[in-house]
């Protein structure tokens, strides 16, 4: 990727000024990539991560899966995101997913009861994770089919990692091949990604997990961000339908506060705020795209989780947002 003049963002927190190195040390950050107007203007690694090491996407891959759905719509293998989910996953017929559409699972509004509480061993998300850990064939599909309905489809936002697993599974059925093959054909190879990436499988030879647990190198996170920023066009060839990115960045639901400080709404599996569309993953993974500013910012971290968070710890998620605002300011000033 081409490089521009390096920026040096600074910000204030905890009563003093911090530079990039201090930000990384304070917030357990393993990687920073800033791409402004198509050029890398900041790239840093920490905690032993090297430039060709793959780091976990966590849930940032949910947003990538939603972009692949757009590619399938552009290819005509998905006619409409208002298609019933059960058209693609008949195993969900006569379950709470009857009447749920692709749009509903893409906007976290399936209406199915779900508890995404990581410290609770009996929560739905941990039952889901247990099935994945045990590599149970079709285990997640059976779990999701067993859940009751809590709200009418499309009426209520509720973050649900299982919904995005189902979206990825439906996409697999629609394109008739593994997600990895489709991602490789539509995005990875055309965009000139630097390294192979990976999905984690539900079971041996089973379904790729479309909502978490993928892995890629830092600069390829950035290349994907640029693919979205450029409206799903690679070297003049359109991969996503015209207007798809704008639709993905249109608020579908207001999100409950506080999720993260700068986020107010949710779209097509993208978190939305003032000027930003963001892919956000557990433990501090973020892809922030400021389309109006020709700016993509990737921050990868290993934020401590309960019960290992000190009582005196500062709000690291908020500080990542503060740092990103300093990046925006530095990029803006670099053009003056």
């Amino acid at each position: 990727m081409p490089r521009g003049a390096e920026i040096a963002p600074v910000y204030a927190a905890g009563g003093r000024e911090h530079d990039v190195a201090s930000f990384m040390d304070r917030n357990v950050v393993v990687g920073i990539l800033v791409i402004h107007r198509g050029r890398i203007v900041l790239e840093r690694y920490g905690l032993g991560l090297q430039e060709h090491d793959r780091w976990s996407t966590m849930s940032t891959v949910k947003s990538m899966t939603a972009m692949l759905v757009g590619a399938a719509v552009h290819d005509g293998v998905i006619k409409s995101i208002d298609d019933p989910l059960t058209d693609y996953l008949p195993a969900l017929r006569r379950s709470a997913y009857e009447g749920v559409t692709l749009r509903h699972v893409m906007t976290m509004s399936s209406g199915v009861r779900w508890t995404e509480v990581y410290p609770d061993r009996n929560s739905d998300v941990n039952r889901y994770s247990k099935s994945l850990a045990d590599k149970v064939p079709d285990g997640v599909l059976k779990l999701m089919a067993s859940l009751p309905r809590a709200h009418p489809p499309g009426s209520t936002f509720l973050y649900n990692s299982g919904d995005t697993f189902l979206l990825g599974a439906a996409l697999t059925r629609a394109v008739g091949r593994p997600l990895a093959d489709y991602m490789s054909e539509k995005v990875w190879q055309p965009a000139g990604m630097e390294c192979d990436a990976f999905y984690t499988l539900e079971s041996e030879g089973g379904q790729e997990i479309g909502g978490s647990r993928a892995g890629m190198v830092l600069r390829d996170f950035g290349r994907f961000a640029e693919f979205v920023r450029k409206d799903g066009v690679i070297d003049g060839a359109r991969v996503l339908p015209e207007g798809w990115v704008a639709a993905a960045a249109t608020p579908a639901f207001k999100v409950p506060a506080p999720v993260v400080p700068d986020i107010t709404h949710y779209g097509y599996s993208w978190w939305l705020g003032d000027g930003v569309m963001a892919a956000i993953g557990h433990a501090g993974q973020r892809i922030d795209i400021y389309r109006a500013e020709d700016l993509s910012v990737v921050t990868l971290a290993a934020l401590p989780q309960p019960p290992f968070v000190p009582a005196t710890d500062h709000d690291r998620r908020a500080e990542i947002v503060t740092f990103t605002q300093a990046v925006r300011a530095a990029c803006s000033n670099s053009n003056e």
Side-chain angles (χ1 to χ4, degrees):
M1 296 183 71
R3 293 181 181 270
E6 186 171 283
I7 59 170
V10 294
Y11 67 98
R16 71 181 191 86
E17 191 172 79
H18 300 279
D19 60 10
V20 174
S22 176
F23 165 70
M24 294 183 74
D25 287 344
R26 281 171 54 83
N27 297 288
V28 208
V29 172
V30 302
I32 300 169
L33 184 72
V34 179
I35 306 172
H36 187 222
R37 295 185 171 176
R39 296 179 177 273
I40 294 175
V41 295
L42 184 63
E43 182 177 2
R44 290 286 188 279
Y45 298 86
L47 296 179
L49 186 72
Q50 303 296 310
E51 62 180 341
H52 292 141
D53 291 336
R54 293 169 293 184
W55 186 256
S56 177
T57 62
M58 298 297 187
S59 288
T60 61
V61 78
K62 288 181 169 69
S63 306
M64 298 178 185
T65 296
M67 291 296 110
L68 270 192
V69 171
V73 170
H74 185 67
D75 287 346
V77 293
I78 290 177
K79 292 185 175 60
S80 168
I81 60 171
D82 294 313
D83 288 348
L85 184 63
T86 51
D87 284 0
Y88 301 92
L89 300 174
L92 294 176
R93 289 173 183 160
R94 294 178 295 280
S95 77
Y97 281 94
E98 282 279 8
V100 172
T101 67
L102 298 177
R103 182 190 301 272
H104 294 149
V105 291
M106 199 156 55
T107 57
M108 298 292 183
S109 61
S110 67
V112 172
R113 188 217 68 193
W114 180 265
T115 50
E116 186 114 358
V117 183
Y118 302 115
D120 178 2
R121 286 188 155 201
N122 296 314
S123 67
D124 293 319
V125 74
N126 281 324
R127 294 167 63 207
Y128 158 87
S129 294
K130 178 73 164 57
S131 180
L132 297 176
D134 292 344
K135 300 182 179 181
V136 180
D138 294 326
V140 173
L141 203 58
K142 292 171 184 174
L143 168 65
M144 303 308 291
S146 74
L147 298 173
R149 176 167 290 172
H151 305 282
S155 67
T156 306
F157 173 83
L158 179 65
Y159 188 78
N160 180 340
S161 286
D163 273 3
T164 315
F165 178 92
L166 297 178
L167 182 67
L171 178 58
T172 300
R173 304 303 190 278
V175 300
R177 55 190 136 149
L179 289 183
D181 290 356
Y182 196 59
M183 176 69 89
S184 181
E185 177 198 331
K186 305 309 295 185
V187 180
W188 224 250
Q189 293 189 37
M193 297 302 191
E194 195 165 338
C195 296
D196 287 347
F198 68 81
Y199 285 100
T200 301
L201 302 183
E202 177 202 29
S203 58
E204 297 298 336
Q207 173 67 46
E208 293 110 328
I209 302 167
S212 62
R213 304 163 195 246
M216 59 194 67
V217 303
L218 176 61
R219 283 194 291 266
D220 288 344
F221 274 95
R223 287 182 175 93
F224 195 94
E226 287 290 279
F227 161 68
V228 175
R229 184 183 69 78
K230 294 175 181 177
D231 199 37
V233 175
I234 302 174
D235 293 334
R238 178 160 289 285
V239 177
L240 303 179
E242 189 169 355
W244 181 266
V245 173
T250 299
F253 289 94
K254 187 172 182 179
V255 298
V259 177
V260 285
D262 59 332
I263 298 301
T264 57
H265 291 81
Y266 199 76
Y268 290 177
S269 299
W270 287 82
W271 301 90
L272 309 174
D274 185 15
V276 68
M277 56 186 301
I280 299 178
H282 185 66
Q285 324 317 315
R286 282 194 65 145
I287 304 169
D288 291 314
I289 303 171
Y290 297 89
R291 291 183 296 146
E293 299 169 40
D294 295 335
L295 178 65
S296 299
V297 182
V298 181
T299 46
L300 306 177
L303 302 188
Q305 301 300 309
F308 306 106
V309 181
T312 57
D313 206 16
H314 62 281
D315 188 340
R316 298 173 195 262
R317 285 185 178 273
E319 192 158 324
I320 290 172
V321 172
T322 301
F323 172 78
T324 304
Q325 299 310 311
V327 165
R328 294 176 71 190
C331 288
S332 176
N333 292 337
S334 71
N335 294 323
E336 292 180 356

